[in-house]
Each structure stands twice: as structure tokens, then as C-alpha cells.
Amino acid sequence: AHLDYKARHPEREASEAMIFGQAAHVAVYEPDLMEALVVQKPKFGGEGARAREADWLDQHKDKIVLSSSREGCRREDAVGIRDSLLSPRREHTRALLTAPGKGEISFIWKDEKTGLLCKGRLDRFCTWNGESFVLDLKTCMDARLRPFGYEILKYHYHVKAAWYMDGLDVLAPAQRRFVWIAAEKHPPYEFA
């Protein structure tokens, strides 16, 4: 029933968490575009607030608009995540994020059993220390193993990871490692 409903109603409005995740991806993978693509919606109050807000939203319709001012959903939180991940004290993570590779890669393959076209979108594919890596950045409230493990199961991240790896193997069979980077949305922006 759930599959049938989703097939007939594919469009869903992005949640605040999903929008923040997009902003974090821009901050980490495309930092030079952060200024141009991500904006924080100001608070509109007083007389004519709805009209001013509608006008502001229309002016920023092609951007990632962060609407909440609460901690963990602000523009500065996305930048904080990036700064934490690229910190000199985070040698391995920084190395993976800056290693030769490419980000935001979409790809299509044909499923051998069904003949259906399938698609995937990788956050980042890179090579480091002679090995290939697929990186998947996930923002979360708690990056510790057990709490993030629950999110993996709840949001089916493990299924998506297998999907991506299977698709890559159809296109170019090779040994690869899949890495989730679980980054906390709030200071001090710890991650695992």
C-alpha cells in the first residue's frame, strides 16, 4: 500500500531537515557557491508582513531558503559543519573531502534482471590512498554510532548505499568503499 501510494503521489514537499541537508551539501561540496545559493529567510513582522515575505520568497525562488532561525537549521550551521569537517584536526575526513574526485554525480544503469532503467546520485566519488570511495554526507542530531544507526534504519540509508554500489558495479565493476559522514547540525558540529 505504501509503495502504491508513493508511486501515485511522487511529489512531496521538502522538510526543513531536507532543505538544511541541501544547504550543508553546498557548504561542504561546493563552498564557492554557498553565497550565491543559500539564504536565510528573515523574520517578517508588522503590517504588510505577508506581502513582504511573499515578495522576498519570489526574489529568492531559485535558492535554497533556510526558513528556521533555530539552532541546527541556520546558514551558519551549514558553514559550521563544513569548517568542522575540513578542520586540520580531522585529517582523514579532510583528506577524503579534498582528494581527487567529483561531487554530485548522477548516473543511470539498466537492471539486468528486470531491464528497468535505474538512477542514482552520489554526493562524492573520490580516490584516496589508492582506493575508491563513495561519500554520503548526512546531517543529524547525534552522530554517535547508536543514534545514527537508528537513523540509518529509519531512513533506509543502507538500502540506498547498496543501490548506489550495485549501480556502480553494473557500470564499472571495481572495489569501492562506501562512507557515511554523519555530521551534527548543532555546535560544536561533531561528526563520525
Side-chain angles (χ1 to χ4, degrees):
H2 290 273
L3 179 62
D4 181 57
Y5 180 84
K6 286 181 180 181
R8 288 186 288 120
H9 302 87
E11 292 299 317
R12 66 177 179 171
E13 194 168 309
S15 69
E16 191 173 275
M18 291 169 72
I19 293 169
F20 179 75
Q22 292 173 341
H25 275 82
V26 171
V28 172
Y29 296 122
E30 302 172 292
D32 53 323
L33 298 177
M34 186 72 179
E35 195 66 38
L37 293 180
V38 180
V39 294
Q40 184 80 49
K41 185 173 93 173
K43 292 186 181 198
F44 296 92
E47 200 171 311
R50 285 187 182 216
R52 287 194 316 277
E53 180 178 6
D55 184 48
W56 187 91
L57 287 170
D58 188 53
Q59 291 174 24
H60 296 88
K61 63 184 170 206
D62 296 330
K63 296 186 178 186
I64 298 169
V65 177
L66 298 172
S67 60
S68 177
S69 59
R70 68 184 167 90
E71 192 173 283
C73 291
R74 302 170 303 185
R75 192 175 186 283
E76 56 261 33
D77 294 317
V79 172
I81 288 170
R82 179 199 62 216
D83 293 347
S84 178
L85 293 173
L86 296 176
S87 164
R89 65 186 178 97
R90 309 300 190 153
E91 182 182 335
H92 292 98
T93 307
R94 189 178 77 227
L96 282 170
L97 290 170
T98 59
K102 192 167 184 170
E104 305 295 335
I105 303 168
S106 295
F107 59 105
I108 297 173
W109 72 95
K110 191 173 198 173
D111 182 67
E112 295 170 355
K113 291 181 183 174
T114 63
L116 294 173
L117 283 179
C118 304
K119 66 179 179 176
R121 184 165 174 87
L122 305 178
D123 286 355
R124 179 164 169 72
F125 184 81
C126 66
T127 303
W128 180 57
N129 281 350
E131 294 186 77
S132 295
F133 290 86
V134 174
L135 305 182
D136 195 8
L137 174 65
K138 299 294 184 193
T139 58
C140 59
M141 297 304 289
D142 190 337
R144 290 177 300 160
L145 182 59
R146 184 168 292 220
F148 185 67
Y150 290 129
E151 288 197 22
I152 289 171
L153 295 175
K154 180 179 178 180
Y155 297 114
H156 307 283
Y157 293 159
H158 60 298
V159 175
K160 294 172 189 173
W163 178 260
Y164 296 151
M165 298 299 270
D166 288 349
L168 288 171
D169 282 344
V170 168
L171 295 174
Q175 287 287 354
R176 296 178 185 88
R177 292 179 182 244
F178 191 95
V179 177
W180 283 300
I181 300 173
E184 294 179 354
K185 300 182 201 186
H186 47 80
Y189 310 109
E190 285 299 309
F191 65 92

